[in-house]
Structure formats: C-alpha cells, structure tokens
Amino acid sequence: MTSIRRALSISLISIGLCAGLVSASLSFYAATDEAEELFDAQMAQMARLMAQLAPGTAFDSPRPASAGEGEWEPAHPYEKQLSYRVLSSAGNTLILSPSFPEGVSSSARPGYRDLELDSTRWRLFTLATPDSRYYIQVIQDDHIRRELAIKIALTNTLPILIFLPLLGFTIWWLIGRNLRPLLSIGEQVSTRSSDNLDPLQLEQIPDEVDALVSALNELLQRLQASFQRERRFTADAAHELRTPLAALQVHCENLFQQLQDPVARSDCDQIKDGLGCMNRMVEQLLQLSRLDPQEHLPDIDRVNLSDLCRDMIGDQIGFAIERDIDLGLDAPDTDLHIPGNAFYLGLMLRNLIDNALRYTPQGGEVTLALNTQDEKVQLLLSDSGPGLDEDAKSRVFERFYRQSQKASGSGLGLSIVKLIADLHGAEVSLKDRSSGQQGLVVQVEFSKASD
C-alpha cells in the first residue's frame, strides 16, 4: 500500500532538490563568471593606475630590471600571481615586477588575451598610454583565477546546498503534522470495539479530512440504526414465535394421541419434529440476539468446568437415551477451573452436546472429555457421526450452514459455540477422530484459572 506521506514527501523533496540544484548550478556559474569579470576589471584598474604614472620621472629615466633581481618576499601568497611590466614604444622593458613570467612576447597589442607558458595558462592585459609612448602589461595566472573564482562561487552556493536538507526535513515534518488527523482517525477506528458505533471525535480537523469524518460518522449512524433494527427484529420475532409454536406442538401431540391411522400418525409425527426444530431455532435466535452485541463478558468468575460438564450431561442424558446414544464424560478426578461466565459456558456446552447428539446415528456414542496441557484446559467433544469434509470444517461456524439438509439441526449451534468461545478468549478447532474411526472431534482450549 502506498503511503501518502511518503509519496508527497518524495515528490516535494525531489522537486525541491532539483530546483535547489539548478539554482545552485546557475548561482555557481554566475558567480564564477562575475569573479572572472572582477579579475579582468582588477587587471585593467592596475594597468590604468600604472598609466597615470607615465608622465612622471619614473618612466622618463627608467632603469631596466630583471625578473630575478634582488631578494623579494611577497606580502601575500596571491601577490605572485598578479604581475606587471612597462614597455616603451620600441618594446624595451622599463619596469618589471619580480614575479612577471619570462617568455612573454614584448609585442604590444592592447586588450585581453590568453597565453600558455610552460604548461601554465596566463591571462594578459595590455594598455597603451594616450600618447602611445608606453605600454603597460598586467598578467595573472589563470589557475589562481579559477581557484579564486570557485571559492567565491562556492561561498555563494553553499547556503543553497545547506538549505536543501533542511528543506527536505521541513517538508517531511510538515506533511506528517498535517496528516496527523488521518492517523488519529485510524487509531480511533482500530481501537474501537465492534459494538461502539458512536461518531468519531476529532479536534482541529482540516477541511479535506472533515468531509471524510462527516461521511464516516453518517455511515456509523446508519450502521448503528441498521444493527439495532436487526437485533430488535430478531429478538421480537423469536420471542413472539415461542408461544404459538409451543401451543402448536401441544395440539400436535394431542392430535397424535387421537389418530388411529398409521399413515396419519406418521405425518403428525413429522409435524411434531418440524415444530421441535422450529422451537430450537427460535431459542437459538434469542441466544444469538443476546450474544451478538457483546464484545466482552458481562461477569467473569472462577467457573468449575468439571461440575458444569456433569450438569450438562445430566440435562441431555434423556435425549441421548431416546436416540439410543451412549453419552459419557471423561474427566480427571481433580476439578478443573477456568475464568469465565457460567451461564454462557453452560449455553456453549448445551449447544455442543445437542449438535453432536443430533448428527450421531442411533447406537452411536458421544463423549465429552477434559484434560490439561501447558497451563491450558482442553474440552474435547467427540462423536461417531458422519464427520465433516475440509470445506465443511471451514464453513461450519457460519450461521444457518448445514452439511446435510436431512439433519434436524438449524445450523446455529456451532455459531453460538464460536461466539461464546471468542468471548472467553478460547480457541475452537475441528478435527477427525483418531485411529481411522468415523466421527468428528470439537476441541475448545481455555486458559486455566489461577489458584
């Protein structure tokens, strides 16, 4: 997934970097060119200063000098790089600075020109006096000119180069700061429970984000109203159906007793089974309507799971005898305790056992077992029914899903089991019976209660 902050930062920093580098390059070349112009102007100024001395006696009674004459100590390292000499109209040297290079032609040609002497490039400026009696030549090492020009250019360019990282950091920080409301929305939504559909509350929301928050709040309000209507309808419908269904079942049983015809009694028996199935579905719908809105258990106690299993086995033993199924409990002598809600755990066990009894054929067996492993309490319910294929195992916790339409279940039992297990932080898994036996094992793993 693309990060808005990363995308904006990379785009803006890239644009800023390119603009900064272009500006730095233009500034560098402009500063270099200006430095070159400044040095040329300096050479010209020095030559004109020498020309102002032309009417004086220094030029009228000159003494020829040589470049290496006497001991000479420059006042500055760059002083040697700027030299001069004065020539007569005949090309004779009248005045010569000690650092003036040898080999420079005495031919006077006014203006600027570039020379190369002993692999060294020089910049030469020649100026003639108004009466053309004297020629003043000023020469400068091109290397030092370039060095000085680059130093001046870097001095002008360095602030831009230093500014670029600061600009990048500022862009990154400002984008993150302005995108903080979006992160706050994500944090609020991610930390909310599934039953919390209250509007999002944020301070200082930008206009662009405000539209998103308003749309989310409107959606949350619509979802809350929809869920409330759904739960209210399910609870009301299930509650209202219980009384007429119970009355129908009583009338059907009375009718069954009065009928003598075997065919009619068989049809009436099927009606009784259908009414019984409807009664169980209504009861389970009521259970789901109570479980669905909950994110956490209302009350958590230290529950004796061993006693609870014995009670649920006792409640279902009549149905097991009626179907000729061997229903038993395999538990250790020491009672096992888990943190949870006894009412919901009993509801889970009842649905587990009822579901196993309905899918196990006559003469089969259903066994409820308890054991401990690594600070966990395992509850295993095994049956000798037809079992489940891999596709059914992945879908069996869906509401109203049944692998076989011939079964008398409603497809809600294991959904209720999964809901209650999730409320207790337990893990539910399905697996086949071992040793090649036919049937299914439902395993629920709880955390053990502290002593």
Short mmCIF file of all heavy atoms in Angstrom, two decimals, residues 105-153:
data_model
loop_
_atom_site.label_atom_id
_atom_site.label_comp_id
_atom_site.label_asym_id
_atom_site.label_seq_id
_atom_site.Cartn_x
_atom_site.Cartn_y
_atom_site.Cartn_z
N SER A 105 55.87 37.66 -24.87
CA SER A 105 56.27 38.49 -26.00
C SER A 105 56.13 39.97 -25.66
O SER A 105 55.18 40.39 -24.99
CB SER A 105 55.43 38.15 -27.23
OG SER A 105 55.72 39.04 -28.27
N SER A 106 57.09 40.75 -26.14
CA SER A 106 57.06 42.20 -25.87
C SER A 106 56.25 42.96 -26.91
O SER A 106 56.17 44.18 -26.86
CB SER A 106 58.49 42.76 -25.82
OG SER A 106 59.15 42.54 -27.06
N SER A 107 55.72 42.21 -27.87
CA SER A 107 54.89 42.88 -28.88
C SER A 107 53.64 43.41 -28.20
O SER A 107 52.94 42.70 -27.49
CB SER A 107 54.52 41.90 -30.00
OG SER A 107 53.80 40.82 -29.47
N ALA A 108 53.38 44.66 -28.37
CA ALA A 108 52.26 45.31 -27.69
C ALA A 108 51.01 45.23 -28.54
O ALA A 108 50.97 45.76 -29.65
CB ALA A 108 52.62 46.75 -27.39
N ARG A 109 50.02 44.58 -28.02
CA ARG A 109 48.70 44.53 -28.67
C ARG A 109 47.66 44.78 -27.59
O ARG A 109 47.40 43.92 -26.75
CB ARG A 109 48.48 43.17 -29.33
CG ARG A 109 47.24 43.15 -30.23
CD ARG A 109 47.05 41.81 -30.88
NE ARG A 109 46.78 40.76 -29.91
CZ ARG A 109 46.60 39.48 -30.21
NH1 ARG A 109 46.75 39.09 -31.46
NH2 ARG A 109 46.36 38.61 -29.27
N PRO A 110 47.09 45.98 -27.53
CA PRO A 110 46.18 46.33 -26.45
C PRO A 110 45.00 45.35 -26.34
O PRO A 110 44.53 44.79 -27.32
CB PRO A 110 45.71 47.73 -26.83
CG PRO A 110 46.77 48.26 -27.73
CD PRO A 110 47.29 47.08 -28.50
N GLY A 111 44.54 45.15 -25.10
CA GLY A 111 43.39 44.27 -24.85
C GLY A 111 43.76 43.01 -24.08
O GLY A 111 44.89 42.84 -23.63
N TYR A 112 42.76 42.12 -23.95
CA TYR A 112 42.95 40.87 -23.21
C TYR A 112 43.30 39.74 -24.15
O TYR A 112 42.82 39.68 -25.29
CB TYR A 112 41.65 40.49 -22.47
CG TYR A 112 41.27 41.42 -21.34
CD1 TYR A 112 40.36 42.45 -21.57
CD2 TYR A 112 41.82 41.28 -20.07
CE1 TYR A 112 40.00 43.31 -20.54
CE2 TYR A 112 41.46 42.14 -19.04
CZ TYR A 112 40.54 43.15 -19.29
OH TYR A 112 40.19 43.99 -18.27
N ARG A 113 44.13 38.84 -23.68
CA ARG A 113 44.38 37.61 -24.42
C ARG A 113 44.91 36.54 -23.46
O ARG A 113 45.42 36.85 -22.38
CB ARG A 113 45.37 37.84 -25.56
CG ARG A 113 46.72 38.34 -25.13
CD ARG A 113 47.66 38.39 -26.32
NE ARG A 113 48.92 39.02 -25.98
CZ ARG A 113 50.03 38.81 -26.67
NH1 ARG A 113 50.03 37.97 -27.69
NH2 ARG A 113 51.15 39.44 -26.33
N ASP A 114 44.75 35.27 -23.87
CA ASP A 114 45.18 34.13 -23.05
C ASP A 114 46.48 33.58 -23.62
O ASP A 114 46.62 33.44 -24.85
CB ASP A 114 44.11 33.04 -23.05
CG ASP A 114 42.84 33.49 -22.36
OD1 ASP A 114 42.96 34.21 -21.34
OD2 ASP A 114 41.74 33.14 -22.83
N LEU A 115 47.42 33.25 -22.71
CA LEU A 115 48.71 32.71 -23.11
C LEU A 115 48.94 31.38 -22.40
O LEU A 115 48.32 31.09 -21.36
CB LEU A 115 49.84 33.67 -22.71
CG LEU A 115 49.79 35.09 -23.27
CD1 LEU A 115 50.93 35.91 -22.66
CD2 LEU A 115 49.90 35.08 -24.79
N GLU A 116 49.84 30.58 -22.96
CA GLU A 116 50.24 29.33 -22.31
C GLU A 116 51.76 29.26 -22.34
O GLU A 116 52.37 29.18 -23.41
CB GLU A 116 49.64 28.12 -23.01
CG GLU A 116 49.92 26.82 -22.27
CD GLU A 116 49.10 25.64 -22.78
OE1 GLU A 116 48.15 25.87 -23.56
OE2 GLU A 116 49.44 24.50 -22.41
N LEU A 117 52.37 29.30 -21.13
CA LEU A 117 53.82 29.28 -20.99
C LEU A 117 54.20 28.13 -20.07
O LEU A 117 53.75 28.09 -18.91
CB LEU A 117 54.33 30.60 -20.41
CG LEU A 117 54.01 31.87 -21.22
CD1 LEU A 117 54.43 33.11 -20.44
CD2 LEU A 117 54.69 31.82 -22.58
N ASP A 118 55.01 27.20 -20.57
CA ASP A 118 55.45 26.06 -19.77
C ASP A 118 54.28 25.34 -19.10
O ASP A 118 54.24 25.12 -17.89
CB ASP A 118 56.46 26.52 -18.69
CG ASP A 118 57.71 27.12 -19.30
OD1 ASP A 118 58.08 26.69 -20.41
OD2 ASP A 118 58.31 28.02 -18.66
N SER A 119 53.25 25.02 -19.92
CA SER A 119 52.06 24.29 -19.48
C SER A 119 51.22 25.06 -18.44
O SER A 119 50.39 24.49 -17.74
CB SER A 119 52.43 22.91 -18.88
OG SER A 119 53.13 22.15 -19.82
N THR A 120 51.47 26.34 -18.33
CA THR A 120 50.69 27.18 -17.42
C THR A 120 49.92 28.21 -18.23
O THR A 120 50.51 28.90 -19.09
CB THR A 120 51.59 27.88 -16.40
OG1 THR A 120 52.31 26.91 -15.66
CG2 THR A 120 50.76 28.72 -15.43
N ARG A 121 48.64 28.32 -17.95
CA ARG A 121 47.81 29.28 -18.67
C ARG A 121 47.84 30.62 -17.92
O ARG A 121 47.79 30.68 -16.69
CB ARG A 121 46.36 28.81 -18.77
CG ARG A 121 46.20 27.62 -19.73
CD ARG A 121 44.73 27.19 -19.78
NE ARG A 121 43.87 28.26 -20.23
CZ ARG A 121 43.65 28.58 -21.51
NH1 ARG A 121 44.25 27.87 -22.49
NH2 ARG A 121 42.83 29.58 -21.83
N TRP A 122 47.95 31.72 -18.73
CA TRP A 122 48.01 33.06 -18.17
C TRP A 122 46.96 33.94 -18.87
O TRP A 122 46.60 33.72 -20.01
CB TRP A 122 49.39 33.68 -18.37
CG TRP A 122 50.51 32.95 -17.66
CD1 TRP A 122 51.19 31.86 -18.11
CD2 TRP A 122 51.03 33.25 -16.38
NE1 TRP A 122 52.11 31.44 -17.20
CE2 TRP A 122 52.06 32.30 -16.11
CE3 TRP A 122 50.79 34.23 -15.42
CZ2 TRP A 122 52.79 32.31 -14.94
CZ3 TRP A 122 51.53 34.23 -14.26
CH2 TRP A 122 52.51 33.28 -14.00
N ARG A 123 46.55 34.94 -18.11
CA ARG A 123 45.64 35.95 -18.66
C ARG A 123 46.39 37.27 -18.72
O ARG A 123 46.90 37.76 -17.69
CB ARG A 123 44.41 36.08 -17.75
CG ARG A 123 43.38 37.11 -18.19
CD ARG A 123 42.54 36.60 -19.34
NE ARG A 123 41.36 37.43 -19.54
CZ ARG A 123 40.58 37.36 -20.62
NH1 ARG A 123 40.88 36.49 -21.59
NH2 ARG A 123 39.53 38.12 -20.72
N LEU A 124 46.54 37.85 -19.94
CA LEU A 124 47.36 39.04 -20.15
C LEU A 124 46.49 40.21 -20.60
O LEU A 124 45.61 40.04 -21.45
CB LEU A 124 48.45 38.79 -21.21
CG LEU A 124 49.32 39.97 -21.60
CD1 LEU A 124 50.21 40.39 -20.42
CD2 LEU A 124 50.20 39.62 -22.82
N PHE A 125 46.73 41.38 -19.98
CA PHE A 125 46.03 42.62 -20.40
C PHE A 125 47.08 43.68 -20.73
O PHE A 125 48.00 43.93 -19.94
CB PHE A 125 45.13 43.13 -19.27
CG PHE A 125 44.46 44.43 -19.60
CD1 PHE A 125 43.46 44.50 -20.57
CD2 PHE A 125 44.85 45.60 -18.96
CE1 PHE A 125 42.85 45.71 -20.87
CE2 PHE A 125 44.24 46.82 -19.26
CZ PHE A 125 43.23 46.88 -20.22
N THR A 126 46.96 44.25 -21.90
CA THR A 126 47.90 45.29 -22.36
C THR A 126 47.14 46.59 -22.55
O THR A 126 46.06 46.60 -23.18
CB THR A 126 48.56 44.87 -23.69
OG1 THR A 126 49.22 43.61 -23.51
CG2 THR A 126 49.56 45.92 -24.14
N LEU A 127 47.73 47.70 -22.02
CA LEU A 127 47.10 49.02 -22.12
C LEU A 127 48.16 50.02 -22.64
O LEU A 127 49.28 50.08 -22.13
CB LEU A 127 46.60 49.48 -20.74
CG LEU A 127 46.00 50.89 -20.68
CD1 LEU A 127 44.69 50.94 -21.47
CD2 LEU A 127 45.78 51.32 -19.24
N ALA A 128 47.80 50.77 -23.63
CA ALA A 128 48.69 51.80 -24.18
C ALA A 128 48.33 53.16 -23.59
O ALA A 128 47.14 53.46 -23.40
CB ALA A 128 48.59 51.84 -25.70
N THR A 129 49.37 53.97 -23.31
CA THR A 129 49.10 55.32 -22.82
C THR A 129 48.53 56.16 -23.97
O THR A 129 48.69 55.81 -25.14
CB THR A 129 50.39 55.98 -22.30
OG1 THR A 129 51.36 55.99 -23.35
CG2 THR A 129 50.93 55.20 -21.09
N PRO A 130 47.85 57.26 -23.63
CA PRO A 130 47.22 58.06 -24.70
C PRO A 130 48.20 58.52 -25.78
O PRO A 130 47.82 58.62 -26.96
CB PRO A 130 46.62 59.24 -23.94
CG PRO A 130 46.37 58.72 -22.56
CD PRO A 130 47.49 57.76 -22.29
N ASP A 131 49.46 58.79 -25.42
CA ASP A 131 50.42 59.24 -26.42
C ASP A 131 51.19 58.09 -27.05
O ASP A 131 52.11 58.31 -27.83
CB ASP A 131 51.41 60.25 -25.81
CG ASP A 131 52.11 59.65 -24.58
OD1 ASP A 131 51.88 58.44 -24.30
OD2 ASP A 131 52.85 60.38 -23.90
N SER A 132 50.83 56.84 -26.66
CA SER A 132 51.44 55.62 -27.21
C SER A 132 52.93 55.52 -26.93
O SER A 132 53.67 54.84 -27.65
CB SER A 132 51.19 55.52 -28.73
OG SER A 132 49.82 55.46 -28.98
N ARG A 133 53.45 56.29 -25.95
CA ARG A 133 54.86 56.20 -25.60
C ARG A 133 55.15 54.95 -24.78
O ARG A 133 56.25 54.39 -24.87
CB ARG A 133 55.28 57.45 -24.81
CG ARG A 133 55.28 58.72 -25.63
CD ARG A 133 55.68 59.89 -24.75
NE ARG A 133 56.99 59.68 -24.15
CZ ARG A 133 57.48 60.43 -23.18
NH1 ARG A 133 56.78 61.44 -22.69
NH2 ARG A 133 58.68 60.17 -22.69
N TYR A 134 54.15 54.51 -23.98
CA TYR A 134 54.38 53.38 -23.09
C TYR A 134 53.24 52.37 -23.24
O TYR A 134 52.10 52.72 -23.60
CB TYR A 134 54.45 53.85 -21.63
CG TYR A 134 55.44 54.95 -21.40
CD1 TYR A 134 54.99 56.24 -21.14
CD2 TYR A 134 56.81 54.69 -21.44
CE1 TYR A 134 55.88 57.27 -20.92
CE2 TYR A 134 57.71 55.73 -21.22
CZ TYR A 134 57.25 57.01 -20.97
OH TYR A 134 58.13 58.02 -20.76
N TYR A 135 53.60 51.13 -22.93
CA TYR A 135 52.61 50.05 -22.90
C TYR A 135 52.72 49.35 -21.54
O TYR A 135 53.81 48.95 -21.13
CB TYR A 135 52.85 49.05 -24.03
CG TYR A 135 52.57 49.63 -25.40
CD1 TYR A 135 53.58 50.28 -26.12
CD2 TYR A 135 51.30 49.53 -25.96
CE1 TYR A 135 53.33 50.81 -27.36
CE2 TYR A 135 51.05 50.08 -27.20
CZ TYR A 135 52.06 50.71 -27.90
OH TYR A 135 51.80 51.25 -29.13
N ILE A 136 51.62 49.26 -20.87
CA ILE A 136 51.58 48.59 -19.56
C ILE A 136 50.91 47.23 -19.73
O ILE A 136 49.82 47.14 -20.30
CB ILE A 136 50.80 49.42 -18.52
CG1 ILE A 136 51.50 50.78 -18.28
CG2 ILE A 136 50.69 48.65 -17.20
CD1 ILE A 136 50.96 51.88 -19.14
N GLN A 137 51.60 46.19 -19.26
CA GLN A 137 51.07 44.82 -19.33
C GLN A 137 50.88 44.27 -17.91
O GLN A 137 51.79 44.34 -17.08
CB GLN A 137 52.02 43.91 -20.12
CG GLN A 137 52.06 44.22 -21.60
CD GLN A 137 52.93 43.23 -22.34
OE1 GLN A 137 53.94 42.74 -21.82
NE2 GLN A 137 52.57 42.96 -23.61
N VAL A 138 49.68 43.76 -17.67
CA VAL A 138 49.37 43.10 -16.40
C VAL A 138 49.01 41.65 -16.70
O VAL A 138 48.18 41.39 -17.59
CB VAL A 138 48.20 43.80 -15.66
CG1 VAL A 138 47.88 43.07 -14.35
CG2 VAL A 138 48.56 45.26 -15.41
N ILE A 139 49.64 40.73 -16.02
CA ILE A 139 49.43 39.30 -16.29
C ILE A 139 49.04 38.58 -14.99
O ILE A 139 49.49 38.96 -13.90
CB ILE A 139 50.69 38.68 -16.92
CG1 ILE A 139 50.36 37.31 -17.52
CG2 ILE A 139 51.83 38.59 -15.89
CD1 ILE A 139 51.48 36.77 -18.43
N GLN A 140 48.20 37.57 -15.13
CA GLN A 140 47.71 36.82 -13.95
C GLN A 140 47.62 35.34 -14.31
O GLN A 140 47.20 34.98 -15.41
CB GLN A 140 46.34 37.35 -13.52
CG GLN A 140 45.88 36.81 -12.18
CD GLN A 140 44.57 37.48 -11.74
OE1 GLN A 140 43.73 37.81 -12.57
NE2 GLN A 140 44.44 37.71 -10.44
N ASP A 141 48.01 34.51 -13.32
CA ASP A 141 47.94 33.05 -13.50
C ASP A 141 46.47 32.62 -13.60
O ASP A 141 45.66 32.91 -12.70
CB ASP A 141 48.62 32.36 -12.31
CG ASP A 141 48.79 30.87 -12.53
OD1 ASP A 141 48.12 30.32 -13.43
OD2 ASP A 141 49.56 30.25 -11.77
N ASP A 142 46.12 31.93 -14.69
CA ASP A 142 44.72 31.52 -14.88
C ASP A 142 44.28 30.50 -13.82
O ASP A 142 43.11 30.45 -13.44
CB ASP A 142 44.56 30.92 -16.28
CG ASP A 142 43.10 30.66 -16.61
OD1 ASP A 142 42.34 31.63 -16.77
OD2 ASP A 142 42.72 29.45 -16.67
N HIS A 143 45.23 29.69 -13.33
CA HIS A 143 44.88 28.69 -12.31
C HIS A 143 44.38 29.35 -11.03
O HIS A 143 43.38 28.94 -10.44
CB HIS A 143 46.10 27.82 -12.01
CG HIS A 143 45.91 26.88 -10.85
ND1 HIS A 143 45.11 25.75 -10.93
CD2 HIS A 143 46.39 26.92 -9.57
CE1 HIS A 143 45.12 25.14 -9.75
NE2 HIS A 143 45.89 25.83 -8.91
N ILE A 144 45.12 30.40 -10.62
CA ILE A 144 44.69 31.07 -9.39
C ILE A 144 43.40 31.82 -9.61
O ILE A 144 42.57 31.98 -8.70
CB ILE A 144 45.82 31.99 -8.86
CG1 ILE A 144 45.60 32.30 -7.38
CG2 ILE A 144 45.88 33.29 -9.66
CD1 ILE A 144 45.72 31.09 -6.50
N ARG A 145 43.22 32.33 -10.82
CA ARG A 145 41.94 32.98 -11.14
C ARG A 145 40.78 32.00 -10.97
O ARG A 145 39.75 32.32 -10.38
CB ARG A 145 41.97 33.52 -12.58
CG ARG A 145 42.78 34.78 -12.78
CD ARG A 145 42.95 35.06 -14.26
NE ARG A 145 41.69 35.25 -14.94
CZ ARG A 145 41.12 36.43 -15.14
NH1 ARG A 145 41.72 37.54 -14.71
NH2 ARG A 145 39.96 36.53 -15.78
N ARG A 146 40.98 30.78 -11.51
CA ARG A 146 39.92 29.79 -11.42
C ARG A 146 39.70 29.38 -9.96
O ARG A 146 38.56 29.21 -9.51
CB ARG A 146 40.29 28.54 -12.24
CG ARG A 146 40.42 28.79 -13.71
CD ARG A 146 39.11 29.22 -14.34
NE ARG A 146 38.07 28.23 -14.12
CZ ARG A 146 36.78 28.41 -14.43
NH1 ARG A 146 36.40 29.58 -14.93
NH2 ARG A 146 35.91 27.47 -14.21
N GLU A 147 40.79 29.26 -9.21
CA GLU A 147 40.68 28.87 -7.81
C GLU A 147 39.90 29.90 -7.01
O GLU A 147 38.99 29.57 -6.23
CB GLU A 147 42.08 28.68 -7.22
CG GLU A 147 42.06 28.23 -5.77
CD GLU A 147 43.46 28.07 -5.21
OE1 GLU A 147 44.39 27.78 -6.01
OE2 GLU A 147 43.64 28.23 -4.00
N LEU A 148 40.27 31.17 -7.22
CA LEU A 148 39.58 32.23 -6.51
C LEU A 148 38.11 32.34 -6.94
O LEU A 148 37.21 32.56 -6.12
CB LEU A 148 40.29 33.57 -6.74
CG LEU A 148 41.66 33.73 -6.07
CD1 LEU A 148 42.35 34.99 -6.55
CD2 LEU A 148 41.51 33.75 -4.56
N ALA A 149 37.88 32.16 -8.24
CA ALA A 149 36.50 32.23 -8.75
C ALA A 149 35.64 31.13 -8.15
O ALA A 149 34.49 31.34 -7.77
CB ALA A 149 36.50 32.15 -10.28
N ILE A 150 36.22 29.92 -8.06
CA ILE A 150 35.45 28.79 -7.49
C ILE A 150 35.18 29.03 -6.01
O ILE A 150 34.08 28.74 -5.51
CB ILE A 150 36.23 27.47 -7.71
CG1 ILE A 150 36.21 27.10 -9.19
CG2 ILE A 150 35.63 26.34 -6.87
CD1 ILE A 150 37.07 25.91 -9.53
N LYS A 151 36.16 29.57 -5.29
CA LYS A 151 35.93 29.86 -3.87
C LYS A 151 34.81 30.88 -3.69
O LYS A 151 33.94 30.74 -2.82
CB LYS A 151 37.22 30.38 -3.25
CG LYS A 151 38.26 29.30 -2.99
CD LYS A 151 39.46 29.86 -2.26
CE LYS A 151 40.47 28.75 -1.95
NZ LYS A 151 41.66 29.27 -1.23
N ILE A 152 34.82 31.91 -4.50
CA ILE A 152 33.77 32.92 -4.41
C ILE A 152 32.41 32.30 -4.77
O ILE A 152 31.40 32.55 -4.11
CB ILE A 152 34.08 34.11 -5.33
CG1 ILE A 152 35.35 34.82 -4.84
CG2 ILE A 152 32.91 35.07 -5.39
CD1 ILE A 152 35.85 35.90 -5.77
N ALA A 153 32.41 31.47 -5.85
CA ALA A 153 31.16 30.85 -6.27
C ALA A 153 30.62 29.89 -5.21
O ALA A 153 29.42 29.85 -4.93
CB ALA A 153 31.37 30.10 -7.59
#
